[in-house]
Amino acid sequence: MAVQRTFSILKPDATRRNLTGAVNAVIEKAGLRIVAQKRIHMTKVQAETFYAVHSARPFFGELVEFMTSGPVVVQVLEGEDAITKYREVMGATNPANAAEGTIRKLFAESVGENTVHGSDAPETAAVEIAQFFAGNEIVG
Ligand code: IDP
Protein backbone atom coordinates (compact mmCIF):
# COMPACT_ATOMS: atom_id res chain seq x y z
CA MET A 1 0.00 0.00 0.00
CA ALA A 2 1.34 3.41 -0.98
CA VAL A 3 1.79 6.48 1.16
CA GLN A 4 -1.53 8.35 1.33
CA ARG A 5 -2.91 11.55 2.80
CA THR A 6 -6.14 11.81 4.74
CA PHE A 7 -8.09 14.72 6.19
CA SER A 8 -8.70 14.89 9.94
CA ILE A 9 -10.65 17.18 12.25
CA LEU A 10 -10.25 17.39 16.01
CA LYS A 11 -13.83 18.40 16.79
CA PRO A 12 -15.09 21.06 19.24
CA ASP A 13 -15.44 18.56 22.10
CA ALA A 14 -11.67 17.92 21.79
CA THR A 15 -10.67 21.61 21.84
CA ARG A 16 -13.16 22.39 24.64
CA ARG A 17 -11.64 19.70 26.87
CA ASN A 18 -8.04 20.69 25.95
CA LEU A 19 -7.41 17.26 24.42
CA THR A 20 -5.75 18.18 21.12
CA GLY A 21 -2.28 17.17 22.27
CA ALA A 22 -3.54 13.89 23.73
CA VAL A 23 -5.34 13.03 20.47
CA ASN A 24 -2.29 14.00 18.40
CA ALA A 25 -0.15 11.69 20.54
CA VAL A 26 -2.39 8.75 19.60
CA ILE A 27 -2.24 9.76 15.92
CA GLU A 28 1.56 9.98 15.93
CA LYS A 29 1.98 6.77 17.94
CA ALA A 30 0.02 4.99 15.21
CA GLY A 31 2.68 6.05 12.70
CA LEU A 32 0.73 8.84 11.01
CA ARG A 33 2.53 12.16 10.39
CA ILE A 34 0.71 15.49 10.85
CA VAL A 35 1.85 17.28 7.66
CA ALA A 36 -0.58 20.22 7.98
CA GLN A 37 -2.55 21.57 10.93
CA LYS A 38 -4.47 24.71 11.86
CA ARG A 39 -7.01 25.77 14.45
CA ILE A 40 -10.09 27.46 13.00
CA HIS A 41 -13.66 28.27 13.95
CA MET A 42 -15.80 26.79 11.16
CA THR A 43 -18.55 28.94 9.74
CA LYS A 44 -22.05 27.52 9.29
CA VAL A 45 -21.51 27.46 5.52
CA GLN A 46 -18.19 25.60 5.89
CA ALA A 47 -19.80 22.98 8.15
CA GLU A 48 -22.85 22.58 5.89
CA THR A 49 -20.60 22.21 2.84
CA PHE A 50 -18.31 19.76 4.59
CA TYR A 51 -21.19 17.52 5.74
CA ALA A 52 -23.42 18.05 2.66
CA VAL A 53 -23.60 14.27 2.16
CA HIS A 54 -25.53 14.08 5.45
CA SER A 55 -27.92 16.98 4.70
CA ALA A 56 -31.01 14.73 4.60
CA ARG A 57 -30.16 12.95 7.88
CA PRO A 58 -32.21 13.83 10.99
CA PHE A 59 -29.08 14.81 12.92
CA PHE A 60 -27.78 17.27 10.28
CA GLY A 61 -28.84 20.47 12.09
CA GLU A 62 -27.41 19.21 15.38
CA LEU A 63 -24.17 18.20 13.62
CA VAL A 64 -23.69 21.64 12.01
CA GLU A 65 -24.49 23.34 15.32
CA PHE A 66 -21.93 21.18 17.13
CA MET A 67 -19.19 21.65 14.53
CA THR A 68 -19.59 25.44 14.75
CA SER A 69 -19.91 25.51 18.57
CA GLY A 70 -16.19 26.08 19.16
CA PRO A 71 -12.76 25.85 17.55
CA VAL A 72 -11.66 22.78 15.63
CA VAL A 73 -8.21 21.65 14.49
CA VAL A 74 -8.11 20.66 10.83
CA GLN A 75 -5.23 18.42 9.78
CA VAL A 76 -3.69 16.49 6.93
CA LEU A 77 -2.24 13.16 8.02
CA GLU A 78 0.23 11.19 5.92
CA GLY A 79 1.39 7.60 6.06
CA GLU A 80 1.16 4.11 4.62
CA ASP A 81 -2.51 3.32 3.99
CA ALA A 82 -3.36 6.50 5.95
CA ILE A 83 -7.09 6.54 5.19
CA THR A 84 -7.83 3.05 6.51
CA LYS A 85 -5.24 3.32 9.26
CA TYR A 86 -6.76 6.54 10.64
CA ARG A 87 -10.30 5.10 10.48
CA GLU A 88 -8.98 2.21 12.62
CA VAL A 89 -7.25 4.57 15.05
CA MET A 90 -10.42 6.70 15.34
CA GLY A 91 -12.70 3.76 16.20
CA ALA A 92 -16.41 3.32 15.52
CA THR A 93 -18.64 6.39 15.05
CA ASN A 94 -20.48 5.57 18.28
CA PRO A 95 -17.89 5.46 21.07
CA ALA A 96 -19.97 2.79 22.81
CA ASN A 97 -18.98 0.47 19.93
CA ALA A 98 -15.37 1.65 19.57
CA ALA A 99 -12.50 -0.77 20.19
CA GLU A 100 -10.13 -0.41 23.13
CA GLY A 101 -7.29 2.04 22.54
CA THR A 102 -9.05 3.96 19.77
CA ILE A 103 -9.43 7.75 19.99
CA ARG A 104 -13.20 7.55 20.28
CA LYS A 105 -13.04 4.85 22.97
CA LEU A 106 -10.48 6.89 24.89
CA PHE A 107 -12.03 10.34 24.55
CA ALA A 108 -15.47 10.55 22.88
CA GLU A 109 -18.57 11.16 24.92
CA SER A 110 -21.40 10.48 22.45
CA VAL A 111 -22.17 9.47 18.85
CA GLY A 112 -22.52 13.14 17.91
CA GLU A 113 -19.65 14.61 19.91
CA ASN A 114 -17.14 11.97 18.91
CA THR A 115 -13.86 13.90 19.00
CA VAL A 116 -12.51 13.24 15.49
CA HIS A 117 -13.34 13.11 11.80
CA GLY A 118 -11.36 11.13 9.21
CA SER A 119 -11.92 10.77 5.47
CA ASP A 120 -13.47 7.49 4.31
CA ALA A 121 -11.95 7.17 0.80
CA PRO A 122 -9.21 8.70 -1.41
CA GLU A 123 -11.76 10.77 -3.39
CA THR A 124 -13.32 12.29 -0.26
CA ALA A 125 -9.87 12.87 1.28
CA ALA A 126 -8.84 14.94 -1.75
CA VAL A 127 -12.02 17.04 -1.67
CA GLU A 128 -11.88 17.56 2.10
CA ILE A 129 -8.18 18.53 2.12
CA ALA A 130 -8.81 21.04 -0.70
CA GLN A 131 -11.71 22.60 1.25
CA PHE A 132 -9.38 23.64 4.09
CA PHE A 133 -5.77 23.72 2.85
CA ALA A 134 -3.84 25.34 0.02
CA GLY A 135 -1.15 23.09 -1.44
CA ASN A 136 1.67 25.16 0.05
CA GLU A 137 0.25 24.72 3.58
CA ILE A 138 0.96 20.98 3.44
CA VAL A 139 4.56 20.19 4.29
CA GLY A 140 5.43 16.51 4.07
P1 IDP B 1 -17.91 8.92 10.78
O1 IDP B 1 -17.57 10.28 11.36
O2 IDP B 1 -17.49 7.80 11.70
O3 IDP B 1 -17.43 8.74 9.36
P2 IDP B 1 -20.64 9.29 9.75
O4 IDP B 1 -21.69 8.23 9.73
O5 IDP B 1 -20.05 9.71 8.42
O6 IDP B 1 -19.51 8.82 10.77
O7 IDP B 1 -21.30 10.56 10.46
C1 IDP B 1 -20.66 11.81 10.43
C2 IDP B 1 -20.78 12.45 11.79
O8 IDP B 1 -22.15 12.75 12.05
C3 IDP B 1 -20.35 11.57 12.97
O9 IDP B 1 -18.95 11.56 13.18
C4 IDP B 1 -21.09 12.23 14.11
O10 IDP B 1 -20.43 13.42 14.57
C5 IDP B 1 -22.41 12.63 13.44
N1 IDP B 1 -23.43 11.58 13.65
C6 IDP B 1 -23.52 10.39 13.02
N2 IDP B 1 -24.58 9.68 13.46
C7 IDP B 1 -25.20 10.48 14.38
C8 IDP B 1 -26.37 10.32 15.19
O11 IDP B 1 -27.06 9.31 15.16
N3 IDP B 1 -26.67 11.37 16.02
C9 IDP B 1 -25.92 12.53 16.07
N4 IDP B 1 -24.82 12.70 15.32
C10 IDP B 1 -24.46 11.71 14.50
Side-chain angles (χ1 to χ4, degrees):
M1 185 36 95
V3 172
Q4 282 181 328
R5 285 178 175 173
T6 191
F7 179 71
S8 163
I9 305 176
L10 312 188
K11 296 185 178 184
D13 66 294
T15 59
R16 187 164 54 239
R17 291 179 290 151
N18 211 21
L19 289 173
T20 61
V23 175
N24 278 347
V26 179
I27 289 171
E28 291 184 331
K29 197 162 183 214
L32 293 163
R33 304 185 76 83
I34 302 165
V35 295
Q37 173 167 258
K38 59 188 170 188
R39 182 172 170 111
I40 62 168
H41 197 135
M42 269 197 206
T43 64
K44 190 163 184 269
V45 170
Q46 277 179 312
E48 285 172 348
T49 303
F50 184 75
Y51 279 121
V53 67
H54 293 307
S55 60
R57 307 282 284 276
F59 57 80
F60 183 66
E62 184 188 327
L63 178 57
V64 170
E65 197 170 314
F66 167 57
M67 292 301 291
T68 57
S69 68
V72 299
V73 177
V74 290
Q75 304 176 314
V76 180
L77 309 181
E78 186 177 271
E80 283 284 316
D81 204 11
I83 294 168
T84 301
K85 181 180 277 186
Y86 190 44
R87 297 286 302 184
E88 286 170 6
V89 172
M90 285 164 50
T93 307
N94 186 341
N97 303 325
E100 288 298 329
T102 62
I103 292 168
R104 284 167 168 167
K105 178 71 174 185
L106 287 166
F107 303 115
E109 289 179 320
S110 70
V111 66
E113 305 202 2
N114 58 5
T115 312
V116 278
H117 164 86
S119 308
D120 60 6
E123 300 73 27
T124 45
V127 170
E128 291 173 0
I129 290 169
Q131 188 185 342
F132 291 97
F133 290 99
N136 64 2
E137 292 181 300
I138 305 168
V139 184

